[in-house]
Amino acid sequence: MNNIEKAELIVVGGGPAGLSAALAAADYGVNVILVEEREFLGGQLVKQTHRFFGSEKEYAGTRGIDISKFLVEKIKENENIKILTSSRVLGIYNDKIVTILANNKMIKYSPKALILATGASEKFLAFENNDLPGVFGAGAVQTLMNLYGVLPSKKILMVGSGNIGLIVSYQLLQAGVKVACIIEAAPRIGGYSVHASKLARMGVPILTSHTIKKAVGKDKVEGAIICQLDSSWREIKDTEQFIKCDAICLSVGLSPLTDLLKQANVKTSYVPELGGYIPLRDENMETSIKNLFVAGDVSGIEEATSAIIEGQIAGLNVAKRIKKDIDNQVKIEKKIAEAKDELELLRAGPVGEKVRNGLKKIGLDPLKNYGEKVSTEEFDISFLMKTGIPSKENLKKKLPLSEDVFNKGPIAISECFQQFPCDPCVKSCPFDAISENGSINNIPYVNFEKCTGCGICVSKCPGLAMFVVQKNYTDSTSLVTLPYEFLPKPVKNQIVLVLNREGTEICEGTVKRVRDGKIQDKTTVVTIEIPKEYFLEARNIKVDGGQKHG
Amino acid sequence: MRIEQHPILEFEKGEKIKFYLDGKEMIGFKGDTIASALYASGIYKLSESKKLRRPRGIFCAVGHCSSCLMIVDGIPNVRTCTTPLKEGMKIETQNQEVVLNE
Amino acid sequence: MDENKVIICRCEDVTLAEIRNLIKQGFTTVEEIKRLVRSGMGPCQGKTCGLLIAREIAEITNTSIEKIEIQNMRPPYGGVTFEEVIAGDTIEE
Ligand SMILES: Cc1cc2nc3c(=O)[nH]c(=O)nc-3n(C[C@H](O)[C@H](O)[C@H](O)COP(=O)(O)OP(=O)(O)OC[C@H]3O[C@@H](n4cnc5c(N)ncnc54)[C@H](O)[C@@H]3O)c2cc1C
Ligand code: SF4
Ligand code: SF4
Ligand code: FES
């Protein structure tokens, strides 16, 4: 009736998808209102202390918290974007009327276009006492420790080994929490192998084909009962095990937060490959309702890189509709095409298969222009995907063919064996010595001729999978350079314990060099001197005097 | 417990905030939500579920699940995980049946 | 597993035992179950329980989960107090 304000574009959700959508449209002069229910922008990014895997072009190799800062700064500088934080979109009614609860006041808008980028919510799991205090979603654990600086637990059981389960486990270790073990119902680790290997090196057991039966405790978790599953996911008798822990973290998947879309009567479909009920949409991210677009996890669970690109596609399409002059149209068309190509490239590898299958179910062709034959797994990584530990055969394939190469001096060894979309290693090397053979999904190889052993890539790789070895440092010792993200930081000449890929102590080493400057950005690059026989084994260190908490 | 040292993050402890849990004086810090302050002080049980009287604590910490509802300054069903802590707040464990506002 | 201690909907305290019972009695849509036990009508609006209930229905009735309608969503999303509605002057009835 009264006071329905007009607007050009409303973007709901201030995560990577919403931020990039707002920027893409505002760059062409569209007036954008960006609505976010939390007090801050950034979505999932603000809780991510790790370097993001993905495409370096979309900020991979940078920590989530820093990607967020960067995008938010750009948003704040843009005069065409009005930011409404602490504002929740309550409803979307017919004709795309949007009601917003902004700082305890209801306001209404009637925008020309809407982009929903509301992200996802966590899935829950049915087991006995699943509501006991101390049973958390992974997001809650991250919120407590990374936003509020509160220690969520002393010893935790992680349920689920997808990327989130693996990454949050690593973050828990960084906060000083013991991870009792990670259990996974499937026979294979769900996340990327590099993230699993980081944990294996820290000695965290990963138990595949295991599930949780019961949380134990009166008013608070005091332990958990887990058991083993057979190949048809049924419990194997007499395999129950009690795990002592004071918290249980569930990381069993996300499902798109489609409540608002359902209210608006957008057509949805159940597509398990994309996380559950997802909105039907076309390749321009437009839903069954004209001028209502989606982007990011709400349109199907994927990753930040894809969320950012989808946001661009949606934002650019809105700009195309609103800013009609010819000059713009040509430029925007070109940008949309580029973004779509980038998205296809990202999804073209073996790990993109699930997403591709999901997209096919809603009538999209995920490799429309890419066309090229999709690569299949190059290595046999079955052992790696069960344990997080690479097999001897895996390792051999990434080592120089001839021993002579080790004689030339320090060289980089890449311990990344899985084809998944990631390229910060390639982009970081100043000598152009790492190549993925033209596709972000391919396995990176070091060109030992070109590599100088400078160690730049060691701190840039989000998988912490780049090492530098110098076999013949002295007659009896070698140097190994590795990434280290824990406290206390080692110092020069300190004696440290040296661990292998399974987290087992193998020898002592002497710290020869510690690089901890701006370039390393908190991923300390440590060079240790060790007995020669271990130069292909030593991949982690233990420094005396663990983290303290009060 | 609070995280005192972290390899990546720096936590600046804000000013102290005094509040009350079921009449008992408690301390949190600026920047806390009610739930984060309670958790840091070792309070894990925030309410009892309304039918089965089961203990409940933080579950999602982002305002999605209702597991952290408490009575705050007399108002029931407040999601404490997203409500900023304020000086002098009176928090009560919610364990009698209260009508949920939907 | 004690199904009485497996919570499906934490807002309304609905257990797995209750849900399975209803499905066996022939209530095989999320909407019906919601009307009967209020699952998904609490403050979280079915965010945690919706998929779990759909999965139970699919399993017990031997249908594929794709065929099971999840509950309808009605505005407002996330709950508003009466004061907040009044505070805005732009509400039409
Ligand atoms: C532990 C973890 C590690 C990850 N690591 C990586 C990684 O290394 N690399 C990578 O590429 N990806 C990673 N991801 C995935 C990545 O974070 C997500 O894919 C990405 O954040 C999705 O972006 P989004 O904008 O769609 O959603 P989100 O980031 O979830 O943002 C959605 C926003 O919408 C807001 N919102 C929701 N509803 C409303 C409403 N009604 N009104 C107003 N606002 C609303 C929310 O508050 C939120 O801020 C990780 C995720 C997690 C959880
Ligand atoms: S060590 Fe230096 S030269 Fe060698 S691959 Fe890494 S960044 Fe390139
Ligand atoms: S080695 Fe390259 S592709 Fe592998 S995780 Fe590191 S940066 Fe990504
Ligand atoms: S813990 Fe889920 S709403 Fe607060």
Side-chain angles (χ1 to χ4, degrees), chain A residues 2-13:
Chain A
N2 49 355
N3 292 13
I4 299 181
E5 283 182 53
K6 293 245 181 297
E8 284 196 325
L9 168 64
I10 292 188
V11 176
V12 188

Side-chain angles (χ1 to χ4, degrees), chain A residues 48-69:
Chain A
Q48 309 311 339
T49 49
H50 66 289
R51 294 169 188 277
F52 268 45
F53 56 80
S55 167
E56 196 256 1
K57 202 168 157 223
E58 305 322 330
Y59 319 107
T62 305
R63 297 185 194 284
I65 37 176
D66 297 324
I67 304 176
S68 166
K69 271 185 214 144

Side-chain angles (χ1 to χ4, degrees), chain A residues 1-3 88-90 93 101 104-106 108 124 126-131 257 259 262-263 270 277, chain C residues 1-2 5-7 10 47 51-52 65-66 68 70 75-79 84 87-92:
Chain A
M1 217 157 52
N2 49 355
N3 292 13
R88 190 195 308 135
V89 171
L90 294 174
Y93 299 78
L101 182 64
N104 304 325
K105 249 187 108 170
M106 285 264 262
K108 272 193 181 184
F124 190 38
F127 57 90
E128 222 175 299
N129 297 330
N130 55 352
D131 60 337
L257 200 51
D259 307 28
K262 275 181 228 133
Q263 279 180 22
Y270 184 81
Y277 290 90
Chain C
M1 178 164 68
D2 185 349
K5 287 186 181 157
V6 180
I7 302 298
R10 62 172 70 216
K47 269 192 216 61
L51 267 181
L52 284 179
I65 188 161
E66 277 114 279
I68 296 171
I70 36 167
Y77 159 62
E84 286 163 342
D89 53 358
T90 58
I91 295 309
E92 45 186 349

Side-chain angles (χ1 to χ4, degrees), chain A residues 18-29:
Chain A
L19 295 175
S20 83
L23 281 170
D27 274 347
Y28 287 95

Side-chain angles (χ1 to χ4, degrees), chain A residues 227-245:
Chain A
C227 70
Q228 212 176 323
L229 299 174
D230 65 16
S231 53
S232 43
W233 306 72
R234 270 188 305 258
E235 179 185 347
I236 302 177
K237 259 208 163 115
D238 301 323
T239 56
E240 277 189 9
Q241 221 189 112
F242 178 76
I243 304 282
K244 198 170 160 47
C245 57

